[in-house]
Amino acid sequence: MSRPVKRSFTIAGHRTSISLEASFWDALKVLASEERVPVAQLISRIDKQRAAGGLSSAVRVWILD
């Protein structure tokens, strides 16, 4: 398993960063491409839908769902 890679994004006007393992970044890129949206936009949508917990965890769960 790879170590998490941290990347920063601007969501709702503020900077934030998330750490994901390479396989999750790869899956996120593929899913964003399939939806024809930038990765940052997809992360923003996931952020709006999450109930509680961290954004990195919410992204992982969203990918697995």
Side-chain angles (χ1 to χ4, degrees), residues 43-57:
I43 291 172
S44 179
R45 188 181 340 146
I46 295 166
D47 183 45
K48 290 175 186 172
Q49 295 173 352
R50 70 182 167 128
L55 181 55
S56 295
S57 295

Side-chain angles (χ1 to χ4, degrees), residues 7-28:
R7 296 201 178 134
S8 298
F9 298 90
T10 300
I11 297 176
H14 69 278
R15 294 290 287 174
T16 191
S17 60
I18 62 173
S19 296
L20 299 172
E21 294 75 15
S23 56
F24 283 105
W25 282 119
D26 292 344
L28 193 60

Side-chain angles (χ1 to χ4, degrees), residues 30-50:
V30 167
L31 294 166
S33 176
E34 288 175 359
E35 294 192 22
R36 297 184 175 167
V37 297
V39 171
Q41 185 177 341
L42 186 54
I43 291 172
S44 179
R45 188 181 340 146
I46 295 166
D47 183 45
K48 290 175 186 172
Q49 295 173 352
R50 70 182 167 128

